[in-house]
Structures are given as structure tokens and as C-alpha cells.
Amino acid sequence: MKDLGAVKYLLGFEVFRSKEGILLSQRKYALELIRDTSRGGAKPVATPMEQRLKFTTVEYDEVLGTKKGSQQIENEVLGTENGVFQWLIQRLPYLTHTRSDIMYVVHHLSLFLQHPKRSHLEAAMRIFKYVKKTSGQRILLRSSGYVQLEAYCDANCGSCLMARRSITGYCIKICGSLVS
């Protein structure tokens, strides 16, 4: 075995040590994603998802007979860009290890990998614009001696349009550091 010293970069994570604890960052990975998506010149946005945005499947729109005409539903369906959407969404879950702020929208969009719509692709592109603005965001794992577990949970009853199920969110912290 060979001692290479303190870890600085491991599995896409940049590791910084300080008196308060360990800082983890995926800035390099985030910037590579932005470069690979050709979103370097895109205008950054302040939030990962538009407020009150509800996603539905193409099948749901057709069955419900939405106010959109059938021509608009056909225009909404992705053809050759289907692979682009899948490529984008497959690379985002790894970024959620240090970016819990995008976790909800990444999970929600991953439900539409089989038959995405144009609105899903636009929402995925918005995530990359948001990551561009906040690429330096880090997570701190505190080194305090007192161990305290905190857990918070919230539910939004019946907000899923298609299944009428509740959407639940949670966060778990240990010593004030977000772990899940």
C-alpha cells in the first residue's frame, strides 16, 4: 500500500478540509455537464423548476382530452429528441449527492423517460441553467463532537395529477449536515 496523503478528489467529488468539517463539491462535474449539453452560453436561472408546474404523460393528456387540441398534443411529443432527454436525465442523479435542491425535479422528470414531452425536455434544460448559476454550491459535513439527528417531512396531498397520490419530501441531518 502507498499513502497518497489527504484526499482532494475522489469519484467526482472535490474534498476540502477545514476546522468546521469536510466540504464536498461536485463543481467540476457540474461544469462538465454544462459543457457537454452546450448550455455554456445559456442565461442562468434562479430556481431549478418553475413554480406550480405540473407534468403529465402524453397518454394522460389524450385520455383526459385536455383543452389543447390534438395537433398541440402531437407537437408536444418528442420525436428524435427523445434520446437527448434520456441522456440529460441519466447524468443528473449523480449530481444530487451534493445538490439536494435539484433532487425533486430530477426524480420527477425521471418518471417520464419512456415517453417524454417537449415540456419535460424544457424542464430538464432549466435544471442545467440553474446548475450553471449555482455550480459552486457545496455541502458541509460538520465535525462537531455532539451527534444530533434531525428529520423533517412534508406531504402535498393529492398533487400528482395522474394518480392523485400525495408527494412527500423529507430531509435528514446529522450534526446539522444534510445526509439524505
Side-chain angles (χ1 to χ4, degrees):
M1 258 192 202
K2 192 176 182 183
D3 184 7
L4 299 175
V7 66
K8 293 182 181 171
Y9 192 80
L10 178 69
L11 299 172
F13 290 92
E14 297 171 76
V15 182
F16 305 99
R17 295 178 184 267
S18 70
K19 294 177 200 174
E20 292 140 16
I22 298 173
L23 280 170
L24 296 177
S25 173
Q26 289 181 297
R27 184 175 192 273
K28 183 178 176 185
Y29 181 72
L31 293 175
E32 286 173 3
L33 280 177
I34 293 166
R35 184 194 69 223
D36 292 346
T37 59
S38 304
R39 291 285 157 214
K43 183 179 176 185
V45 294
T47 60
M49 186 171 125
E50 290 182 37
Q51 193 174 15
R52 296 184 188 97
L53 189 62
K54 305 272 187 190
F55 296 115
T56 58
T57 61
V58 174
E59 293 82 14
Y60 178 83
D61 291 344
E62 289 172 351
V63 169
L64 188 64
T66 59
K67 294 177 184 173
K68 299 177 183 179
S70 60
Q71 181 65 31
Q72 283 185 320
I73 291 173
E74 287 177 21
N75 291 340
E76 185 73 14
V77 177
L78 288 180
T80 57
E81 296 170 320
N82 191 3
V84 173
F85 176 78
Q86 292 172 347
W87 184 87
L88 293 172
I89 296 301
Q90 288 172 353
R91 276 142 187 85
L92 284 170
Y94 187 67
L95 193 58
T96 63
H97 290 298
T98 58
R99 304 292 306 263
S100 59
D101 53 345
I102 65 170
M103 194 175 296
Y104 171 77
V105 67
V106 169
H107 166 72
H108 201 62
L109 287 175
S110 67
L111 298 174
F112 303 100
L113 280 172
Q114 292 300 316
H115 302 289
K117 298 190 310 187
R118 188 157 313 284
S119 58
H120 302 144
L121 180 62
E122 290 169 3
M125 292 299 188
R126 184 178 176 93
I127 296 172
F128 285 96
K129 292 176 186 178
Y130 174 73
V131 168
K132 179 183 178 187
K133 181 174 182 154
T134 60
S135 63
Q137 190 174 7
R138 302 174 181 171
I139 191 165
L140 174 65
L141 303 174
R142 297 190 188 277
S143 61
S144 64
Y146 179 69
V147 178
Q148 180 180 3
L149 177 70
E150 299 174 70
Y152 302 95
C153 181
D154 188 23
N156 188 352
C157 297
S159 62
C160 178
L161 289 176
M162 296 173 296
R164 301 307 294 165
R165 293 186 187 142
S166 298
I167 297 177
T168 303
Y170 69 92
C171 72
I172 298 173
K173 295 180 176 185
I174 298 177
C175 300
S177 299
L178 185 66
V179 292
S180 180

